[in-house]
């Protein structure tokens, strides 16, 4: 019983991500996964990511890690990291499809999930260092039609305390994606929990407008703006939404709000209250069926079953 790589989901700087299926014809069950792969000799970063994900097992808003192995592909030893498969792509795709037309309740609900994920990451002693819509995976909708979001791509994460140039006086260069990086990461090379909160602010602002927070000519210009200007807070959103962003974008990382504090803000509390009282939808109820594990009605050949999964668009009845 082996995982079969079916198609390429995407390519990262380290290697490829595949959609993979494993059939257990004895128990008549099939499982799906996303497999991040790279040549074994350059897999240090993926192995590190596996270690970090291992510590975050069971966190509802962090992509779940199924394990890792080494296989031989075209005579090359290949490192495989198995993750739960996100059927909805990334938050970046979701934002593009909504073109800035997400309701504030939906945004607040998603911000809540990201904060819970960040809280777990920080509690385990990590700073993610690369939170952005492309690194947030989108899963099924709940019974109210809203998605589950999970943090992914821990390739740049640091232990809290590592790279704290404030203390050591040895600045590091910015780690994550510049567009989502806080000012202190450029001036001091400072990477602490507050780093992730700034990136979260950029991500939430992007859900509100459909656009990135910075408009810039080139990298130098972007760096200058991050260090010397405040991000533009969207004007066409409620006061509580603006208040949430202001607290994520406090310049001094020691004064920037923590995930625990942000979770208490009216923007989050109201969104959770309203989303919990929304009527349940039929579509949402169908989505509750677990797509990751299913029972095959009769014994079928592996090839036929894979075809069956695709024909049925992976929806298990
Ligand atoms: N668990 C998953 N389920 C579904 N798709 C995934 C999963 N993990 C990654 N992907 C997709 O695979 C692609 C590559 O992902 P990955 O996060 O590894 O690289 P990246 O973020 O694009 O690049 P880099 O790591 O260099 O920043 C992305 O399009 C992502 O949406």
């Amino acid at each position: 019983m082996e995982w079969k790589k079916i198609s390429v989901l995407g390519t990262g700087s380290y290697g490829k991500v595949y959609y993979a299926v494993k059939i257990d014809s004895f128990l008549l069950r099939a499982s799906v996964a996303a497999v991040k792969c790279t040549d074994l000799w350059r897999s240090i970063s993926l192995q590190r990511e596996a270690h970090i994900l291992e510590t975050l097992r069971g966190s509802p808003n962090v992509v779940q890690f199924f394990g890792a192995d080494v296989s031989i592909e075209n005579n090359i030893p290949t490192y495989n990291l198995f993750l739960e498969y996100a059927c909805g792509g990334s938050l970046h795709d979701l934002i593009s499809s909504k073109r800035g037309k997400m309701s504030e309740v939906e945004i607040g609900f998603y911000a809540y999930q990201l904060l819970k994920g960040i809280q777990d990451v920080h509690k385990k002693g990590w700073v993610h260092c690369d939170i952005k819509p492309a690194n947030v995976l989108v899963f099924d909708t709940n019974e109210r039609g809203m998605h589950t979001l999970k943090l992914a791509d821990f390739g740049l994460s640091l232990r809290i305390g590592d790279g704290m140039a404030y203390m050591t006086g040895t600045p590091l260069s910015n780690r994550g994606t510049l567009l989502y990086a806080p000012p202190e990461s450029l001036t001091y090379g400072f990477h602490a929990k507050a780093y992730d909160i700034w990136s979260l602010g950029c991500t939430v602002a992007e859900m509100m407008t459909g656009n990135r927070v910075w408009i810039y000519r080139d990298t130098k210009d972007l760096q200058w703006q991050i260090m010397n200007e405040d991000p533009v807070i969207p004007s066409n959103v409620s006061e509580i939404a603006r208040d949430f962003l202001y607290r994520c974008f406090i310049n001094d990382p020691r004064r920037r709000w923590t995930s625990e504090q942000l979770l208490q803000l009216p923007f989050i509390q109201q969104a959770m209250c309203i989303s919990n009282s929304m009527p349940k939808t039929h579509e949402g109820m169908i989505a509750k069926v677990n797509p990751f594990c299913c029972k095959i009605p009769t014994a079928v050949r592996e090839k036929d079953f894979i075809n069956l999964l695709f024909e049925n668009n992976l929806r298990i009845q």
Side-chain angles (χ1 to χ4, degrees), residues 9-14 17 34 36 63 83-86 135 137 153:
L9 290 169
T11 306
S13 46
Y14 54 86
V17 184
K36 283 180 124 172
V63 67
L83 299 170
E84 64 179 321
Y85 169 66
N135 286 341
L137 294 175
D153 202 348

Side-chain angles (χ1 to χ4, degrees), residues 229-245:
E229 292 185 356
D230 293 324
V232 178
I233 306 281
S235 54
N236 56 345
V237 295
S238 68
E239 199 47 52
I240 55 172
R242 290 164 64 81
D243 177 57
F244 179 89
L245 290 181

Side-chain angles (χ1 to χ4, degrees), residues 8-19 33-37 45-46 49 63-64 82-91 93 130 132-139 152-156 177 292:
V8 177
L9 290 169
T11 306
S13 46
Y14 54 86
K16 284 196 168 119
V17 184
Y18 290 89
Y19 173 78
V35 194
K36 283 180 124 172
C37 309
S45 156
L46 266 196
E49 186 169 0
V63 67
Q64 289 302 287
F82 297 89
L83 299 170
E84 64 179 321
Y85 169 66
C87 53
S90 72
L91 179 60
D93 306 325
D130 202 16
K132 58 179 177 178
N135 286 341
V136 174
L137 294 175
V138 176
F139 290 75
D153 202 348
F154 286 75
L156 294 177
T177 310
F292 302 110

Side-chain angles (χ1 to χ4, degrees), residues 32-200:
V32 297
V35 194
K36 283 180 124 172
C37 309
T38 189
D39 299 349
L40 185 60
W41 62 270
R42 54 183 201 120
S43 64
I44 296 290
S45 156
L46 266 196
Q47 291 190 39
R48 204 172 157 273
E49 186 169 0
H51 165 67
I52 295 170
L53 286 168
E54 177 84 60
T55 68
L56 289 161
R57 268 199 173 137
S59 171
N61 297 108
V62 173
V63 67
Q64 289 302 287
F65 170 59
F66 294 160
D69 71 10
V70 175
S71 59
I72 306 293
E73 321 256 331
N74 302 323
N75 288 330
I76 299 167
T78 304
Y79 183 81
N80 305 298
L81 185 150
F82 297 89
L83 299 170
E84 64 179 321
Y85 169 66
C87 53
S90 72
L91 179 60
H92 173 76
D93 306 325
L94 186 65
I95 293 172
S96 307
S97 71
K98 299 241 173 178
R99 294 198 202 115
K101 300 251 180 308
M102 252 187 224
S103 75
E104 273 191 29
V105 170
E106 196 177 357
I107 297 169
F109 182 76
Y110 294 152
Y112 169 83
Q113 298 187 54
L114 296 180
L115 281 166
K116 293 300 271 184
I118 290 172
Q119 200 174 31
D120 286 348
V121 171
H122 291 174
K123 271 190 197 150
K124 292 287 176 188
W126 304 105
V127 186
H128 184 289
C129 289
D130 202 16
I131 291 175
K132 58 179 177 178
N135 286 341
V136 174
L137 294 175
V138 176
F139 290 75
D140 272 343
T141 48
N142 64 13
E143 62 272 25
R144 291 180 172 92
M146 290 207 258
H147 294 278
T148 297
L149 301 189
K150 301 194 184 195
L151 298 175
D153 202 348
F154 286 75
L156 294 177
S157 303
L158 282 177
R159 268 252 163 249
I160 293 173
D162 288 352
M164 292 220 176
Y166 247 106
M167 320 277 184
T168 64
T170 46
L172 299 175
S173 59
N174 159 258
R175 260 184 104 70
T177 310
L178 190 55
L179 264 166
Y180 302 87
E184 70 274 12
S185 69
L186 298 173
T187 45
Y188 303 103
F190 184 68
H191 300 90
K193 294 188 216 174
Y195 189 118
D196 289 340
I197 299 298
W198 180 281
S199 310
L200 169 82

